[in-house]
Amino acid sequence: MSRVQPIKIAILAMGGEGGGVLADWIVDLAEFNGFMGQSTSVPGVAQRTGATIYYVELYPKAQAEADGGTPVLALMPLPGDVDVVIASELMEAGRAVARGLVTPDRTTLIASTHRVYSIVEKTAMGDGRVDPSNLLAHAQAAAKRFVHFDMEKAADEAGSVISAVLFGALAGTGVLPFSRAQFEATIERGGVGVKTSLKAFGAAFDRANVPVELKQVDEPFSMPAPADPKLKALVDRIARDFPAQAHPVLVEGVRRLVDFQDPAYAGLYLDRLQKVRDLPAGGDPQLLFETARHLALWMSYEDTIRVAELKTRSSRFERVEAEVRLKPDQLLAINEFMHPRLQEIAETLPAGLGNWLLRSGWPRRLVERFTREGRVVRTSSLGGFMTLYLLSGMKRWRRSTLRYAAENRRIEEWLAHIAAAASLNPQLATEVAQCQRLVKGYSETHERGLRNYETLMAAVREGGARLAPATVRELRDAALSDERGDKLRIALGRHALTPQLREAA
Amino acid sequence: MAERSFVEEVKKLRLGAGETFRGEGILAVTKALLESGVAYVAGYQGAPISHLMDVLADAQDILAEHGIRFENSASEATAAATLAASVNYPLRGAVTFKATVGTNVASDALANLASGGVTGGALIVVGEDYGEGSSIMQERSHAFAMKSQIWMLDPRPNLPSIVAAVKQGFELSEASNTPVMLQLRIRACHVHGEFTASDNKRPAFTIGDALDNPQRDVSRIVLPPASFQHEQEKVRDRWPAAVRYIESHGLNEFFAEGTDDIGIVVQGGCYNTLVRVLERLGFADIYGNSRVPLYVMNVAYPVIDSEVRRFCEGKRAVLMVEEGQPNFVEQNVASILRQSGAATALHGKDMLPVAGEYTAAETLKGVRAFLERYGRLQPEPAPVKVPKVIPLKPLAEDVQARPPGFCTGCPERPIFSAMKLVERELGPHHVSADIGCHLFSILPPFNLGNTTMGYGLGTAGAAALNAPDHKRAISVMGDGGFWHNGLTSGIANAVFNRNDNLTIVVDNNYTSATGGQDILSSQASNPTRSTRHEIEQAVRGVGVKWVRTMRRTYDVKGMRDALREALTTRDKGPKVLIAQSECMLNKQRREKPLVRKAVAEGKRVVRERFGIDPDTCTGDHSCIRLNGCPSLSIKPNPDPLRTDPIATVIDSCVGCGLCGEVAHAAVLCPSFYKAQIVTNPTGWDKFRRKVSGAVIGYLQRRDARARRQYAF
């Protein structure tokens, strides 16, 4: 009986990701160079973005002829019996490991480290991404050899597709008995996008044998030295009045608020934080850090003025040009999808006027009628640009707006909650500070977040000293896990924190 | 126009004797049909046999040369009934569809065909969509073969065996006057391999000959008393004739006969997996030379009693490797052994899984258990658990399912976005789903749809759910399902029974889920088929009064308003909302070359795509929950103060416009923008840009200077 084994290759990919092209290349490479190639797949509905496996076996023709037999090649991989596993994405590499296809005695695992997020990860209301380091650790532990880098980026840089990069990495590992020239000739025979495919192939070929670069160590933080005297005063204040661990986040916060409004506003930010620092638990670095981070975010709330300003900046125009890969001889038009409603318009007005509009009769209805539909504003045209530009100019009156008053009231309440919690437990205060995360977005999203936030704050008041920090975290996660607030209601019930129900009763 | 072009594959259909054919299993079947002198081919597309239909559609010239009639049947029932041409005439015919759904639809015609029997060879090629990746109910076509007494072939999954099975199938059919089913598992359909071709054959007797010389034989028609005789004939004449042919032509194969007193009986389709497993266990080599006797049933039905007795004679035990349940073959073998008084022990589902796919790993476990039981293998020592130095978080938590979903820019997505918006206003409704891409709405992020009863049966699935003064049920049906049977079983039935529900017909110009084939309502002009028959006309024709056609599904607000009206109108009777927009996969395939050409010719071309401003996106992902487009993804937040990932539009965006529509209709954030990239701009374009650019540039530079003052 012949001892020569077929070469067994499994390709894990998502529908439409080029796994089929790669399998075809491998078979063609083999058939052209004295091997028998068999491939098969189960496309089915997987071709519509689902995950799928292509399986390839190769056998030397000369061996079969010498032995006078026809090899019986398998149509599906046997766990523990695969030589090469190719995964077009990191979670798919994890799937190969989970299915037992990658074994330390023989499997070379070639995987791209980029992520194509799953629908569960994408639809989370907060951060639903899985931990890539866990996937990498499992892959590393399971494989005999693990070749991995961001192949999507490599494909992008070559103006090609990921299948060419995977093919190059496969060649680079040297696990198949074919030369680089034979691999490249296969791409040429295919005849589609040959030049860019070869470029991507070459880049990947070189990468496949180079050890993975070491993780970059974060540079030590050094205090900036702004020229402007007002800014310099702020930076000096941070250095003088706050502990060193908090410097990076405070500098970032000041930077954000100067950009949002002016140096005086950043001064208010530091005033507020100084009060937090002076709390009995204010020495807790985590509390100061989280409060500083969330306070900066809250104080730079997104009103229409802010949105208009961000949308009209030159840096933003440049970013869009880069993102759509604009070529020098092309022109770009940018159209914004905006839907200002009565609420947003009233909030941008001076507080008195805004309040009057919200409570008025026909003026309110008139505005409502005109804001029922969303608007498309072309920022790249003169008219559209000027509309937003003039709106952004209202920044100088921001402190008088209705929205400013409302946000300031909420911020002060939030700081009071933090102070109250800090008197019990700095950890609890840190969790309370992080509840700002719930308030985000615009219009309905913002209202929903705010509702959840207020429910949570009511629960914090209700719970008082018996509230564990982990409970606040659990409630916050529950608030972020569904849109209707069902999970939050259940979690509140579980902890006997039902402030609203009690009030109603 | 199908999703793929098969121009290259069609060339392979012309290969002559001695030349090597390389390609997919299902294409080898197509070539084998031509080599068998087939006179007509019909079928209904669906994985895994769509390619057979698509190749033939692209090979009209070859078919014409050979005088072959090719039909894209309206349904599998139509396809099966087409085989009636072989009842009276010596015409070889083949039909194809996916199993078991297609077999279910076709069963009426199949039963009638089997009753009267055939004169010419009648072959039914079924693509068995079973196991991993399958999107249909898990059943066996085998039951249909048994109940109607249609012979069933299940060849070893390599190209020479598959090609031989096609040819033998016709001969067996003619020898026993019985239709023959050729079952191909999904991996066999898609397996790439090679075989040595023969010349194509023109049918000796043509369809024209049949039409000009009609024959009738009342004893072949299913009417008493002939029908009672058919039943007798099946067992008295046709079955023995089939057995004789199968035995004398060696359709089933014996390997390593007499080498051991245990043996394995395996269905042809599972042969490769079994041999690989035996090879891994050291009982075979890579060429299939086994040390354990094997009986390979390339004929799955009928079981040949004499061969089973011959194989089991003198054996202590045999293992039956039979995928799927119930275990028809095992039961049959058991009864043969019992009646012959053999002492051979029979194993099967006691060692192998009762249900589910026989993967290599499962087969290995079962065969190992069998070999251990009879002392051919020592039990494996229990694996020693190596304590892990760094305990890792279990991998399963980080490997999430990837359910199939709508493609980038799919026109069906906005229909369900609109349904989600209506749900917010009117509360949830019962949704009766159908088969087709639109079924992906049952999965995240839409989570809509309560049942699905089969292709074209969306409306029928809500038939009972009708009560005055209550919420209306919503049914979804694709254009494919509509023409397959939905017009009658759903719409006409709703009219007749005074139903008050809403049916949404998703009209995307093709049967998209099966690969984008044309149907009656397709808008493309197809040289060999009649298209552009409006669904609205058909619906009105059967008596529906409330019909709306939305010509652009991307208009989410319009869709939402139409849905709201249909669900709240006081009008009685069924409501039909036809939602039209071309399948994006096909549209891209159609338009991309045109755009490339226009760009090359220097014409003004505008490409649209969406984008998201990272500094205004706060990472709530509402947009994704209402959309789910593959091009709408997430990425790490570039803001050092934020941690939640932000939404992003990747470059595969085709600019369908849904993102903007949803942002407007659901009042989401102002982060979305639509970029219009103008290639080869005109002089007027450039002039306007110069003027606006001067002002905008001046203001932007001034502001940037002011900001720089405060930058640090």
Side-chain angles (χ1 to χ4, degrees):
Chain A
M1 286 189 192
S2 165
R3 288 249 152 262
V4 176
Q5 280 285 313
I7 302 167
K8 298 155 189 169
I9 306 166
I11 302 166
L12 282 91
M14 274 151 291
E17 267 229 317
V21 173
L22 183 59
D24 288 350
W25 269 339
I26 296 172
V27 167
D28 185 51
L29 167 72
E31 284 184 341
F32 203 81
N33 295 291
F35 274 65
M36 300 166 144
Q38 179 182 286
S39 68
T40 187
S41 62
V42 186
V45 288
Q47 57 196 309
R48 310 281 185 258
T49 73
T52 190
I53 295 187
Y54 300 82
Y55 185 60
V56 183
E57 293 204 350
L58 313 175
Y59 197 78
K61 228 172 197 158
Q63 183 70 43
E65 278 160 14
D67 294 338
T70 308
V72 179
L73 301 177
L75 283 82
M76 58 181 111
L78 179 64
D81 190 32
V82 184
D83 300 297
V84 185
V85 170
I86 302 173
S88 65
E89 189 262 357
L90 188 57
M91 189 183 277
E92 294 314 306
R95 198 180 311 280
V97 174
R99 295 180 69 147
L101 300 179
V102 183
T103 42
D105 56 325
R106 59 188 287 187
T107 314
T108 300
L109 174 59
I110 300 166
S112 177
T113 52
H114 82 281
R115 287 299 328 280
V116 176
Y117 295 105
S118 76
I119 193 75
V120 176
E121 294 176 289
K122 286 189 348 183
T123 52
M125 287 167 72
D127 189 353
R129 292 172 297 176
V130 305
D131 177 12
S133 61
N134 191 42
L135 293 170
L136 284 168
H138 275 280
Q140 195 76 58
K144 177 181 174 194
R145 185 165 155 213
F146 182 27
V147 173
H148 60 287
F149 56 92
D150 187 336
M151 301 192 188
E152 188 188 54
K153 198 163 141 237
D156 215 45
E157 283 163 4
S160 183
V161 288
I162 199 160
S163 39
V165 181
L166 290 164
F167 199 51
L170 175 64
T173 58
V175 287
L176 296 191
F178 307 111
S179 70
R180 176 171 183 162
Q182 288 170 323
F183 272 90
E184 288 176 334
T186 308
I187 295 178
E188 281 161 12
R189 273 198 302 281
V192 184
V194 173
K195 222 172 105 187
T196 49
S197 292
L198 285 177
K199 194 174 163 203
F201 174 93
F205 186 94
D206 297 336
R207 281 293 288 274
N209 276 318
V210 179
V212 185
E213 64 269 54
L214 290 169
K215 205 181 162 193
Q216 271 195 327
V217 184
D218 287 339
E219 281 179 34
F221 179 78
S222 63
M223 274 308 227
D228 184 88
K230 279 184 263 178
L231 297 182
K232 190 171 178 309
L234 290 169
V235 171
D236 290 346
R237 213 175 135 190
I238 295 173
R240 190 180 62 235
D241 296 344
F242 291 93
Q245 303 106 299
H247 288 176
V249 67
L250 288 173
V251 167
E252 199 52 49
V254 165
R255 193 175 277 151
R256 171 71 44 97
L257 296 168
V258 169
D259 184 67
F260 180 78
Q261 189 63 34
D262 50 35
Y265 194 57
L268 174 63
Y269 171 67
L270 292 182
D271 293 345
R272 284 172 165 162
L273 284 175
Q274 227 153 339
K275 283 190 206 141
V276 175
R277 189 205 58 194
D278 294 340
L279 291 173
D284 186 83
Q286 197 65 26
L287 172 60
L288 191 60
F289 177 86
E290 288 299 340
T291 313
R293 186 163 80 84
H294 288 282
L295 180 60
L297 288 172
W298 201 328
M299 287 179 71
S300 59
Y301 61 89
E302 286 99 2
D303 55 5
T304 45
I305 301 169
R306 176 74 172 162
V307 170
E309 195 190 353
L310 291 172
K311 292 252 182 204
T312 48
R313 286 185 176 177
S314 54
S315 55
R316 190 260 175 160
F317 276 44
E318 285 153 19
R319 193 186 60 234
V320 174
E321 284 175 10
E323 197 162 312
V324 302
R325 299 164 197 214
L326 195 74
K327 294 190 195 116
D329 55 346
Q330 291 175 322
L331 287 184
L332 171 71
I334 308 173
N335 306 274
E336 321 291 351
F337 281 75
M338 306 188 133
H339 197 156
R341 303 170 309 162
L342 169 74
Q343 188 72 24
E344 282 82 31
I345 289 169
E347 282 176 344
T348 316
L349 295 172
L353 192 59
N355 269 325
W356 168 82
L357 177 63
L358 284 175
R359 292 199 204 101
S360 67
W362 65 264
R364 182 177 63 103
R365 281 192 295 277
L366 188 72
V367 174
E368 275 179 335
R369 243 188 68 194
F370 278 101
T371 55
R372 204 167 296 151
E373 303 282 297
R375 312 254 157 204
V376 177
V377 180
R378 178 169 287 195
T379 341
S380 52
S381 78
L382 204 49
F385 181 84
M386 288 315 291
T387 309
L388 293 184
Y389 188 76
L390 291 175
L391 182 59
S392 75
M394 291 176 71
K395 183 170 168 176
R396 69 198 67 158
W397 298 301
R398 181 182 263 144
R399 285 184 173 91
S400 66
T401 61
L402 180 60
R403 177 78 186 266
Y404 185 86
E407 294 296 349
N408 264 283
R409 180 177 45 76
R410 287 187 202 121
I411 289 169
E412 291 299 340
E413 282 169 7
W414 173 66
L415 290 169
H417 276 301
I418 294 173
S423 67
L424 301 168
N425 179 352
Q427 245 183 305
L428 184 65
T430 307
E431 295 295 343
V432 170
Q434 289 181 58
C435 290
Q436 184 273 338
R437 184 176 166 211
L438 299 181
V439 188
K440 59 182 172 183
Y442 306 78
S443 52
E444 279 178 22
T445 310
H446 186 260
E447 282 158 24
R448 185 188 65 228
L450 199 58
R451 234 179 1 254
N452 281 344
Y453 165 78
E454 277 164 2
T455 309
L456 232 73
M457 287 302 111
V460 167
R461 257 198 313 274
E462 164 97 11
R466 73 178 166 93
L467 204 59
T471 309
V472 179
R473 173 181 295 256
E474 188 191 320
L475 294 174
R476 203 171 56 232
D477 290 345
L480 281 172
S481 55
D482 75 304
E483 284 196 3
R484 278 189 302 211
D486 294 340
K487 297 248 169 69
L488 178 59
R489 258 194 305 281
I490 293 166
L492 285 168
R494 192 165 47 241
H495 294 284
L497 293 163
T498 44
Q500 282 156 334
L501 296 180
R502 189 159 305 178
E503 277 163 31
Chain B
M1 181 173 70
E3 203 167 281
R4 251 183 78 180
S5 164
F6 284 91
V7 179
E8 283 304 308
E9 281 74 9
V10 166
K11 286 185 202 154
K12 295 178 191 168
L13 297 182
R14 290 192 183 275
L15 293 176
E19 292 184 282
T20 304
F21 176 104
R22 286 197 181 86
E24 223 183 358
I26 199 68
L27 303 184
V29 171
T30 317
K31 175 75 172 105
L33 292 175
L34 297 178
E35 293 179 4
S36 303
V38 76
Y40 62 94
V41 185
Y44 195 85
Q45 62 273 7
I49 55 83
S50 277
H51 289 180
L52 194 160
M53 299 296 295
D54 295 344
V55 169
L56 289 176
D58 283 350
Q60 303 275 349
D61 50 339
I62 301 177
L63 299 179
E65 282 167 30
H66 290 77
I68 299 169
R69 170 85 185 162
F70 170 57
E71 289 246 328
N72 288 97
S73 306
S75 73
E76 295 85 349
T78 313
T82 306
L83 288 173
S86 297
V87 170
N88 296 307
Y89 311 103
L91 291 168
R92 283 190 169 182
V95 300
T96 186
F97 35 78
K98 80 180 286 174
T100 52
V101 277
T103 331
N104 293 342
V105 174
S107 61
D108 195 0
L110 289 179
N112 278 284
L113 184 74
S115 190
V118 294
T119 306
L123 192 67
I124 304 141
V125 182
V126 296
E128 199 82 353
D129 190 7
Y130 175 81
E132 181 181 31
S134 169
S135 56
I136 59 169
M137 75 298 279
Q138 301 293 281
E139 290 185 351
R140 301 182 67 180
S141 299
H142 199 105
F144 281 91
M146 286 174 33
K147 77 150 181 80
S148 296
Q149 270 142 47
I150 291 174
W151 318 136
M152 184 176 217
L153 306 183
D154 182 11
R156 292 198 275 137
N158 62 66
L159 266 49
S161 293
I162 292 170
V163 168
V166 171
K167 297 178 177 175
Q168 289 161 346
F170 281 117
E171 288 172 14
L172 171 62
S173 174
E174 284 156 1
S176 61
N177 301 109
T178 305
V180 171
M181 219 182 255
L182 170 63
Q183 176 196 43
L184 289 175
R185 290 169 165 78
I186 188 157
R187 285 188 174 80
C189 286
H190 294 305
V191 73
H192 170 100
E194 59 180 57
F195 73 95
T196 306
S198 306
D199 288 329
N200 293 339
K201 263 199 284 198
R202 271 185 73 88
F205 185 87
T206 67
I207 289 179
D209 295 336
L211 287 169
D212 294 341
N213 307 288
Q215 305 267 322
R216 78 184 278 278
D217 177 357
V218 81
S219 75
R220 294 301 104 206
I221 299 173
V222 184
L223 264 183
S227 51
F228 309 133
Q229 279 155 15
H230 293 164
E231 192 190 2
Q232 298 299 329
E233 212 179 282
K234 277 182 185 174
V235 295
R236 236 183 8 232
D237 306 330
R238 298 189 219 160
W239 190 320
V243 169
R244 269 197 306 281
Y245 178 89
I246 293 162
E247 282 178 325
S248 60
H249 290 79
L251 262 51
N252 295 320
E253 296 166 285
F254 292 83
F255 295 101
E257 253 191 306
T259 53
D260 202 341
D261 67 352
I262 60 167
I264 301 176
V265 186
V266 62
Q267 294 171 297
C270 293
Y271 169 83
N272 284 33
T273 306
L274 175 70
V275 165
R276 172 55 51 83
V277 160
L278 288 172
E279 191 264 339
R280 291 287 84 196
L281 292 170
F283 284 80
D285 70 6
I286 197 68
Y287 303 110
N289 297 313
S290 173
R291 286 201 277 127
V292 180
L294 303 179
Y295 173 46
V296 182
M297 291 183 166
N298 295 312
V299 183
Y301 181 81
V303 175
I304 310 298
D305 293 33
S306 59
E307 292 182 350
V308 171
R309 281 199 300 272
R310 170 182 142 196
F311 183 71
C312 294
E313 190 166 8
K315 289 208 171 54
R316 280 170 69 200
V318 293
L319 175 71
M320 179 74 226
V321 181
E322 178 191 8
E323 187 176 52
Q325 53 86 31
N327 56 345
F328 302 123
V329 183
E330 189 179 331
Q331 292 178 35
N332 199 338
V333 170
S335 119
I336 294 167
L337 292 178
R338 177 82 177 144
Q339 280 169 1
S340 70
T344 313
L346 175 63
H347 298 280
K349 299 279 183 197
D350 55 338
M351 291 180 170
L352 286 151
V354 173
E357 194 178 11
Y358 279 9
T359 60
E362 290 297 344
T363 310
L364 182 78
K365 266 192 262 171
V367 170
R368 169 172 271 285
F370 177 68
L371 295 173
E372 282 177 8
R373 169 78 173 267
Y374 291 95
R376 300 303 188 279
L377 265 180
Q378 290 307 306
E380 267 186 314
V384 186
K385 280 251 178 194
V386 188
K388 283 192 178 137
V389 186
I390 313 162
L392 292 175
K393 191 172 112 191
L395 186 57
E397 288 174 30
D398 286 339
V399 178
Q400 295 173 345
R402 286 198 197 273
F406 297 109
C407 305
T408 293
C410 175
E412 303 186 11
R413 185 178 290 111
I415 301 171
F416 297 102
S417 298
M419 278 172 80
K420 288 305 267 190
L421 293 175
V422 171
E423 195 181 58
R424 287 183 181 180
E425 295 173 30
L426 304 178
H429 284 72
H430 178 91
V431 178
S432 173
D434 205 305
I435 305 292
C437 296
H438 41 83
L439 187 57
F440 299 148
S441 67
I442 63 164
L443 300 169
F446 295 112
N447 304 308
L448 288 164
N450 300 60
T451 54
T452 173
M453 280 295 110
Y455 197 35
L457 295 175
T459 307
L465 295 164
N466 249 284
D469 307 322
H470 287 271
K471 278 195 210 170
R472 288 175 184 147
I474 304 173
S475 301
V476 184
M477 193 190 284
D479 44 358
F482 176 84
W483 292 117
H484 182 272
N485 75 81
L487 174 60
T488 51
S489 70
I491 308 293
N493 178 71
V495 171
F496 187 62
N497 288 294
R498 293 181 176 276
N499 188 305
D500 201 29
N501 285 337
L502 164 65
T503 297
I504 301 167
V505 180
V506 182
D507 177 6
N508 61 15
N509 294 3
Y510 312 89
T511 58
S512 299
T514 58
Q517 292 80 7
D518 282 338
I519 38 173
L520 270 93
S521 51
S522 291
Q523 291 304 304
S525 67
N526 182 322
T528 58
R529 298 289 181 255
S530 172
T531 52
R532 298 185 188 167
H533 303 280
E534 292 285 338
I535 289 176
E536 178 163 343
Q537 280 187 20
V539 168
R540 290 195 188 278
V542 296
V544 180
K545 298 279 182 287
W546 197 103
V547 188
R548 300 277 183 285
T549 300
M550 295 292 298
R551 301 218 176 266
R552 209 176 68 87
T553 59
Y554 300 104
D555 174 11
V556 172
K557 276 198 309 284
M559 282 300 307
R560 180 196 61 193
D561 297 345
L563 283 169
R564 191 197 297 119
E565 199 201 329
L567 291 171
T568 54
T569 176
R570 290 171 180 281
D571 292 358
K572 295 284 167 208
K575 285 99 194 139
V576 175
L577 177 60
I578 301 161
Q580 285 179 337
S581 272
E582 185 177 3
C583 166
M584 189 53 83
L585 268 187
N586 279 273
K587 187 175 172 190
Q588 290 292 318
R589 192 179 144 224
R590 202 166 51 74
E591 284 189 346
K592 261 190 182 160
L594 299 179
V595 168
R596 265 200 299 273
K597 193 161 156 259
V599 167
E601 285 170 0
K603 291 193 184 131
R604 182 179 190 270
V605 174
V606 182
R607 180 195 157 209
E608 296 191 342
R609 62 156 284 186
F610 274 73
I612 293 172
D613 285 314
D615 39 17
T616 50
C617 171
T618 50
D620 168 71
H621 316 139
S622 279
C623 51
I624 301 178
R625 288 193 292 278
L626 285 166
N627 183 334
C629 178
S631 294
L632 182 58
S633 187
I634 51 174
K635 67 175 179 191
N637 204 321
D639 184 340
L641 293 172
R642 293 186 199 275
T643 53
D644 288 340
I646 54 165
T648 183
V649 177
I650 53 181
D651 203 43
S652 56
C653 172
V654 294
C656 75
L658 177 65
C659 289
E661 294 276 349
V662 167
H664 269 171
V667 197
L668 297 178
C669 73
S671 307
F672 279 98
Y673 64 82
K674 180 171 75 184
Q676 288 166 308
I677 301 129
V678 186
T679 309
N680 303 323
T682 60
W684 174 239
D685 283 331
K686 288 184 199 161
F687 172 74
R688 272 196 320 183
R689 175 50 50 94
K690 211 166 185 177
V691 172
S692 61
V695 181
I696 293 173
Y698 167 75
L699 293 173
Q700 284 183 332
R701 277 193 299 278
R702 203 185 59 174
D703 283 7
R705 255 199 312 278
R707 269 199 309 279
R708 248 197 314 278
Q709 193 196 335
Y710 282 147
F712 66 99

